[in-house]
Amino acid sequence: MARMKFLCDVERCIDCNGCVIACKEGNNVPVGVNRRRVITINEGRPGERSVSISCMHCSDAPCIAVCPVKAIYQREDGIVLVNKDICIGCGYCFMACPFGAPQFPSGQVFGARGAMDKCTFCAGGPAETFSEKERKLYGQNRIAEGKPPLCAAMCSTKALLAGDADVISDIFRKRAFQRGSGAGAWGWDKAYGGK
Amino acid sequence: MNKSSIGICAVFLALSSLAAAAGAVFCQDQFLFSPGHESITVAFRQFSSLIVGDWQHYGRLFITWQPALFRQIFFWTIVSLPLVFLLHYLSIGPKSFSHQKGEVFYFGVFSRIVHWIAAVFFSLLVLTGLTMVFGKLFGGGAFVRSARYIHIISALIFAVDAPIMFLIWVKDMLPMPYDLKWFLIMGGYLSRAKRPVPAGRFNAGQKIWFWLSTLGGGFMAWTGYQMFSFDVQTEALRFAAIVHNFLGAALAGFFIIHLYMSLFAIKGSLQSMLTGYKSLEEVEILHSRYKAG
């Protein structure tokens, strides 16, 4: 089975934040939560580069390991999802994540955090596929529709690639070869560790 | 092309070469560090420090310990201590003291009220804390989430009550030289004989429990607040979670010890915290250095 991964080509990302908006608008994301964010270095100076970051859907994901209630699980295609009915909002996944992916809406009982929200790779959630509950809690299920995640589909420079790891790394390899630079994908060593 | 246009061209060339020369002098940095020169390795390192940060410190420690170690420590604490106490109860047995010789007024009404408020909400803290630690067994969801809410409310009440308790008893809880002797004979709990035990108003074991639950409780409140509010750096958050788990296990352990001592090991101990009176014999044996009044 194909292993789904994200790859952001920092030579192409132009910090337009289209991915962030597309994800937020298309996925019914709670107020105060951004599932994806763009980080820019050397802004306005030579050497400016940007990278778009969300949940990397790690192999051997630390969030799954630390969750005290087993609310997080990994699909066979590598997509990491959270079950919001089980999540207690303790925040351990946020502490474990190297990418700062898990997000929490506020405004529950006594200002306590609600269930964790994070990038679903636009694969919905554990609720019934295409159900109203899935749409409300987790957003679209574009993977089940055979479409790529909103962020990557929306990316104007095609910096953000999402999909079968073999296919996207092949595209990236060709690009790097053609332009003779950027032969690395930020975060891949941390998230996938050669797997 | 006429003469005048050649002249303009010459002036333009001269001016532009001057400008270029000036530019080369003043903007040397810009030419040297053009985007092409910035190595991708340097850029990736900058991304890592911005996004991943100090994860290697406590983040790594946290994901090493949280998946199993913390739960194991809690498990063995709540399983081994009751087992040890069961053996103690069956082999050595509880101590009971006669009230015939008279009674000593030991706990004033205010300290009893403060104690029982602490007792109720500390019990809730331990129970709901354990519920979260072993959240998997309950399948998560509404039950464990409610435990988390109760944990927060109980912590708020305990955080008000514990400082009062601290002020009431701190004078009698200061370490004394004879506390060492108390430890050497394990408080006399290893024998059935009723020999006077070196202890003041509170024995060395009670003193540890006192300092752990008040000062340790303060640390629990501080780390717990960070974990609740997320109002600090992620790195501090990870450290807080680690401290909260270790200290929590120690507190749960001493809570079980306190329960055994007050409910089973010393008969009438529970009544003394309800009525305020201890038997004179008990005070003479277990708190031999205590001078009433």
Side-chain angles (χ1 to χ4, degrees):
Chain A
M1 186 171 216
R3 163 63 161 109
M4 297 298 169
K5 285 182 186 175
F6 278 123
L7 193 158
C8 184
D9 187 344
V10 299
E11 305 279 359
R12 283 192 177 217
C13 180
I14 56 167
D15 189 24
C16 73
N17 279 278
C19 47
V20 179
I21 308 297
C23 169
K24 200 168 171 59
E25 282 304 304
N27 278 322
N28 201 37
V29 176
V31 176
V33 169
N34 277 345
R35 289 181 178 177
R36 181 167 278 287
R37 66 197 198 279
V38 177
I39 304 289
T40 302
I41 53 168
N42 304 319
E43 194 168 354
R45 283 179 284 132
E48 172 172 329
R49 279 197 180 90
S50 301
V51 67
S52 173
I53 285 294
S54 73
C55 171
M56 293 292 276
H57 303 273
C58 300
S59 320
D60 194 12
C63 53
I64 298 177
V66 299
C67 181
V69 291
K70 276 190 173 163
I72 313 172
Y73 62 99
Q74 190 156 32
R75 295 180 6 162
E76 233 173 273
D77 55 6
I79 297 175
V80 177
L81 295 176
V82 59
N83 187 332
K84 291 193 184 185
D85 292 333
I86 295 177
C87 176
I88 60 167
C90 69
Y92 278 8
C93 47
F94 177 77
M95 300 174 204
C97 180
F99 303 103
Q103 303 287 308
F104 296 90
S106 55
Q108 303 292 309
V109 182
F110 295 98
R113 285 183 297 276
M116 186 264 272
D117 188 279
K118 72 167 192 66
C119 160
T120 63
F121 213 87
C122 285
E128 193 193 332
T129 304
F130 301 139
S131 64
E132 182 59 17
K133 186 185 176 191
E134 183 189 52
R135 196 190 64 78
K136 268 186 101 171
L137 284 182
Y138 309 101
Q140 299 188 23
N141 194 338
R142 290 169 59 91
I143 296 296
E145 292 173 339
K147 297 174 185 165
L150 269 168
C151 51
M154 193 67 79
C155 183
S156 56
T157 60
K158 290 291 164 274
L160 188 60
L161 305 172
D164 184 343
D166 293 339
V167 177
I168 62 168
S169 53
D170 210 42
I171 294 172
F172 186 67
R173 190 160 47 236
K174 279 178 191 146
R175 278 186 194 175
F177 182 73
Q178 276 171 350
R179 65 185 177 219
S181 70
W186 188 84
W188 270 43
D189 54 335
K190 289 176 187 70
Y192 311 126
K195 270 174 256 177
Chain B
M1 197 180 268
N2 56 30
K3 268 186 181 173
S4 64
S5 59
I6 291 170
I8 291 169
C9 269
V11 170
F12 177 76
L13 276 173
L15 280 177
S16 55
S17 55
L18 257 178
V25 170
F26 292 116
C27 314
Q28 213 166 26
D29 288 0
Q30 302 284 310
F31 284 114
L32 280 178
F33 297 97
S34 65
H37 279 92
E38 191 77 41
S39 123
I40 196 79
T41 323
V42 173
F44 277 17
R45 213 172 287 147
Q46 280 172 291
F47 282 134
S48 295
S49 72
L50 279 173
I51 297 164
V52 180
D54 292 330
W55 184 87
Q56 290 286 347
H57 285 144
Y58 297 121
R60 169 166 289 220
L61 216 54
F62 181 66
I63 69 164
T64 311
W65 288 341
Q66 163 59 23
L69 181 74
F70 291 149
R71 209 162 38 249
Q72 283 162 1
I73 292 175
F74 276 102
F75 177 79
W76 288 114
T77 304
I78 60 172
V79 166
S80 64
L81 283 173
L83 273 178
V84 168
F85 289 144
L86 182 68
L87 282 177
H88 175 265
Y89 195 85
L90 295 176
S91 59
I92 297 164
K95 290 187 189 303
S96 58
F97 298 98
S98 146
H99 282 243
Q100 302 302 317
K101 277 177 72 179
E103 286 182 327
V104 182
F105 187 64
Y106 220 72
F107 300 114
V109 67
F110 184 63
S111 63
R112 270 177 283 153
I113 292 171
V114 169
H115 169 270
W116 282 110
I117 293 173
V120 168
F121 291 100
F122 196 88
S123 308
L124 281 174
L125 280 168
V126 172
L127 287 175
T128 53
L130 288 170
T131 307
M132 282 185 278
V133 170
F134 298 102
K136 265 177 213 184
L137 300 180
F138 305 102
F143 178 69
V144 185
R145 208 175 299 138
S146 320
R148 193 171 149 246
Y149 298 147
I150 296 170
H151 199 76
I152 295 163
I153 302 162
S154 308
L156 285 176
I157 300 170
F158 185 75
V160 175
D161 193 70
I164 303 172
M165 198 165 69
F166 180 84
L167 291 177
I168 293 175
W169 283 330
V170 65
K171 192 167 69 65
D172 300 310
M173 292 292 185
L174 295 172
M176 290 293 172
Y178 50 73
D179 287 335
L180 279 176
K181 283 188 213 149
W182 187 91
F183 276 114
L184 288 177
I185 58 165
M186 289 301 285
Y189 290 108
L190 297 183
S191 84
R192 271 177 231 189
K194 284 184 180 175
R195 276 187 298 269
V197 169
R201 186 170 179 210
F202 297 107
N203 65 40
Q206 287 173 301
K207 286 178 183 176
I208 292 185
W209 170 229
F210 172 81
W211 289 103
L212 196 68
S213 59
T214 53
L215 282 194
F219 272 104
M220 290 299 273
W222 180 51
T223 52
Y225 173 75
Q226 292 180 350
M227 288 158 74
F228 167 75
S229 70
F230 265 32
D231 227 4
V232 286
Q233 295 282 310
T234 315
E235 205 42 27
L237 216 52
R238 291 165 179 147
F239 181 71
I242 292 170
V243 171
H244 205 81
N245 272 283
F246 279 127
L247 205 53
L251 281 167
F254 269 85
F255 177 70
I256 293 170
I257 295 174
H258 189 60
L259 278 188
Y260 176 66
M261 291 299 162
S262 57
L263 296 180
F264 303 104
I266 306 154
K267 297 287 172 200
S269 177
L270 181 64
Q271 276 68 37
S272 75
M273 194 41 95
L274 290 169
T275 62
Y277 287 93
K278 268 188 192 300
S279 99
L280 181 61
E281 192 194 3
E282 182 190 338
V283 176
E284 280 171 349
I285 300 283
L286 291 184
H287 301 277
S288 61
R289 308 284 177 101
Y290 176 59
K291 308 273 184 300

